Amino acid sequence: MRLHLIELILFNTYAELRAEAARSYLGLVWWVLEPALMMATFWFVFDVILHSGGPDYVPQLLIGLTVWQWMKSCMTHGGYAIWSHLGLVRQTRLPPLVFPLVAMLSDTVKFLCILVLLLVILWCVGYPPNMAYFALPPLFLVVFVFAAGIGFMISAIVPLLPDVRFVIEQVLSVVMFLSGVVFSLSNVPAPLNQWLALNPVAQIMDATRGILMHGAWPHWLALAKVSLVSIVVCFAGAAVVRHFAPRYPKLAS
Amino acid sequence: MNDTLIELRNVGVAFNVGRSIAGQRHWALEDVSLSLRRGERLGVIGRNGAGKSTLLRVIAGILAPDRGSMTRGPVSCQLLALALGFVPYLSGRDNAVLSGLLLGLRRREIVARLDAIREFSELGDFFEQPIASYSSGMNMRLAFSVAMQVEPDVLLIDEVLAVGDAEFQQKSGAALRARMGEGHTVVLVSHNEREIARLCDRVLWIEHGRSVLEGPRDEVFEAYHRDMHVAKPA
């Protein structure tokens, strides 16, 4: 049964990516072009117009947006996955967690493509590979587990209360600005920056920038705390989905 | 008694009316009892809205009863769903694998049967093309060919007895009847009384979400027809 579910999740992920690539003329190019356009927009507003960046602003922004976009898409696409597959939920007996997992895995594949591009850009502008890169896989695992947990929670609630979708986008925008995605938390005056630093997303941003830009190993204790929070959030999210699972096949689309 | 695979005792299933969370509930099934034994072919009859399809989804394990109880042995139950999970931009081959996985098959099982699916569906080179380019008849041929590969312990069929154009209807109907004749345990919901009379040994008659009678086919049909006759206006 477990092997069957793993096969189903993996093939479904492949199918979703393939279908998405086939849906537009430029196909796979959009996986990179869309985030690149968004990054250009933020760079134009915050650096060119507002001059709010510093010498390291562009690489900071690129790293922040790349990681944030991955987290956000896992939370939203994963979060809407059960709701958008209610037709299938009504016809087959599958654990509902399959649907958010497929969405999150396909977003992760897209993130890995963008990450390669990001690394190439960083190398070209003077941030070469370093030994701390070895900390990236565990760091990204923590990011995935955290985003999956939030995504599971959203996915559990949206089928029952679809109106929540309109609020989620706004809440995530606020979280993005409070997490040092488009500006570093070191630019925020004390004591506010200390409060903002408690945010796990901000910790993740700092650790990723430290590795990619300065070759700095993450603060393992801080990362361990974020991991613990992520695991708790992930289990809690999965438990909420399981709790509401019997209700989904009875819902109207 | 050991041969009993599935047993429902006074099962009821309720749906919320509209989007309301704490609002009014509609009982699609009120009080249904049945017992399904290994190798039995059970037909379910009843008027429109009697709760036949809801009952199949309860047996399939998709819907959990809100009242009553259900006992299920260690058996796989699969609703014969057509075009399950089909994605328009994927090829017939990819959709066959995806749908087969959703119907409970392992990937190696469905891959081993791809040639048979391609042949039965008569799609030829179209099998490698996105199904968005298929006619609805081609789509149904592929869907049926995939669904026929599933071999659960208990096969649940909701009206899907034959699909496609006249020629393929004959072929698909014959294939399904052959499957049912192979000694599989089957629950069949159909409006076609002749099909049920031909394919099933036992019949469950439900009305307004309640089981009226369950028993040998002829006995239940006799009572059902008597009731229909009485219910008809003079």
Side-chain angles (χ1 to χ4, degrees):
Chain A
M1 180 69 178
R2 270 190 197 152
L3 281 175
H4 170 251
L5 281 180
I6 292 170
E7 284 179 353
L8 176 65
I9 289 168
L10 293 180
F11 194 83
N12 235 318
T13 305
Y14 154 81
E16 189 153 314
L17 288 169
R18 187 150 186 175
E20 192 179 318
R23 263 198 290 264
S24 55
Y25 284 107
L26 292 179
L28 300 179
V29 176
W30 281 115
W31 294 3
V32 174
L33 193 58
E34 193 189 359
L37 287 172
M38 192 192 60
M39 288 172 186
T41 309
F42 276 93
W43 163 76
F44 185 71
V45 173
F46 284 92
D47 201 33
V48 176
I49 297 179
L50 298 174
H51 300 289
S52 59
D56 284 342
Y57 182 70
V58 172
Q60 270 186 23
L61 178 73
L62 294 183
I63 296 167
L65 284 177
T66 303
V67 176
W68 171 252
Q69 273 306 106
W70 174 39
M71 294 179 80
K72 187 192 164 195
S73 42
C74 283
M75 292 177 200
T76 52
H77 295 162
Y80 305 158
I82 297 178
W83 173 72
S84 60
H85 287 92
L86 281 179
L88 210 49
V89 170
R90 267 186 240 111
Q91 290 183 78
T92 184
R93 185 187 174 199
L94 280 177
L97 279 178
V98 163
F99 302 107
L101 273 172
V102 167
M104 290 166 188
L105 284 179
S106 59
D107 280 326
T108 302
V109 172
K110 286 191 257 179
F111 161 72
L112 292 175
C113 296
I114 299 161
L115 179 68
V116 171
L117 181 75
L118 173 72
L119 294 180
V120 171
I121 293 172
L122 289 176
W123 301 339
C124 292
V125 296
Y127 301 94
N130 60 71
M131 288 300 286
Y133 271 29
F134 285 107
L136 285 177
L139 178 66
F140 288 157
L141 184 65
V142 173
V143 175
F144 183 81
V145 173
F146 180 78
I150 303 283
F152 288 160
M153 286 192 185
I154 298 172
S155 75
I157 295 162
V158 169
L160 305 169
L161 280 171
D163 306 50
V164 170
R165 284 172 302 143
F166 302 110
V167 181
I168 285 168
E169 293 285 340
Q170 308 313 319
V171 170
L172 287 178
S173 296
V174 173
V175 172
M176 180 182 82
F177 284 108
L178 293 181
S179 306
V181 174
V182 289
F183 51 84
S184 175
L185 288 185
S186 54
N187 296 345
V188 177
L192 195 60
N193 61 351
Q194 288 165 2
W195 285 104
L196 292 181
L198 293 175
N199 173 358
V201 183
Q203 300 272 2
I204 288 164
M205 292 300 155
D206 264 5
T208 316
R209 284 180 181 134
I211 294 168
L212 294 177
M213 293 172 63
H214 311 299
W217 292 92
H219 297 289
W220 295 111
L221 183 64
L223 192 60
K225 285 180 191 167
V226 176
S227 309
L228 190 67
V229 171
S230 304
I231 290 168
V232 170
V233 168
C234 193
F235 274 97
V240 178
V241 172
R242 235 177 263 137
H243 175 74
F244 287 120
R247 296 179 65 167
Y248 303 138
K250 294 180 183 174
L251 295 171
S253 294
Chain B
M1 187 63 194
N2 285 342
D3 268 357
T4 302
L5 301 180
I6 293 166
E7 196 165 8
L8 271 64
R9 284 176 296 274
N10 311 108
V11 161
V13 174
F15 291 84
N16 282 336
V17 176
R19 283 231 163 267
S20 62
I21 294 170
Q24 215 184 346
R25 300 222 290 176
H26 161 66
W27 288 87
L29 280 189
E30 297 248 9
D31 181 356
V32 171
S33 300
L34 73 83
S35 158
L36 185 69
R37 284 178 278 275
R38 191 178 296 279
E40 199 170 62
R41 290 171 300 178
L42 178 75
V44 182
I45 57 170
R47 293 177 181 87
N48 276 338
K52 304 185 292 289
S53 299
T54 305
L55 174 63
L56 271 199
R57 288 163 68 204
V58 172
I59 299 172
I62 299 168
L63 291 174
D66 291 295
R67 65 183 180 210
S69 65
M70 177 174 170
T71 316
R72 181 210 300 268
V75 288
S76 58
C77 296
Q78 186 65 54
L79 188 64
L80 189 75
L82 294 186
L84 196 63
F86 270 19
V87 180
Y89 294 96
L90 293 183
S91 68
R93 177 180 294 273
D94 281 344
N95 271 301
V97 177
L98 186 60
S99 198
L101 285 165
L102 287 167
L103 285 163
L105 287 170
R106 291 291 304 276
R107 189 169 174 188
R108 61 167 184 271
E109 292 173 318
I110 192 85
V111 167
R113 296 171 202 199
L114 283 174
D115 286 342
I117 293 171
R118 183 191 170 122
E119 198 175 323
F120 193 89
S121 62
E122 302 167 7
L123 286 171
D125 292 340
F126 270 100
F127 193 55
E128 312 300 337
Q129 300 300 317
I131 63 165
S133 63
Y134 289 13
S135 66
S136 59
M138 290 162 80
N139 217 26
M140 277 295 108
R141 267 157 36 202
L142 176 65
F144 186 87
S145 308
V146 175
M148 278 302 288
Q149 306 304 317
V150 184
E151 291 180 346
D153 299 316
V154 180
L155 183 62
L156 309 168
I157 304 171
D158 190 356
E159 300 283 358
V160 186
L161 284 168
V163 298
D165 56 26
E167 198 183 326
F168 196 78
Q169 273 191 20
Q170 267 196 334
K171 183 176 164 181
S172 55
L176 197 54
R177 281 181 212 103
R179 164 71 61 82
M180 291 179 72
E182 284 167 4
H184 286 91
T185 311
V186 178
V187 181
L188 169 65
V189 164
S190 177
H191 279 104
N192 189 334
E193 283 182 34
R194 283 171 65 183
E195 288 285 5
I196 289 204
R198 200 163 122 199
L199 295 168
C200 301
D201 343 285
R202 286 170 64 79
V203 172
L204 167 69
W205 167 21
I206 60 174
E207 222 46 84
H208 305 298
R210 294 172 178 274
S211 31
V212 180
L213 189 62
E214 185 199 356
R217 177 188 55 203
D218 296 339
E219 199 178 295
V220 177
F221 265 124
E222 199 184 316
Y224 181 62
H225 289 145
R226 210 181 312 129
D227 182 76
M228 295 266 280
H229 184 69
V230 169
K232 269 184 194 169

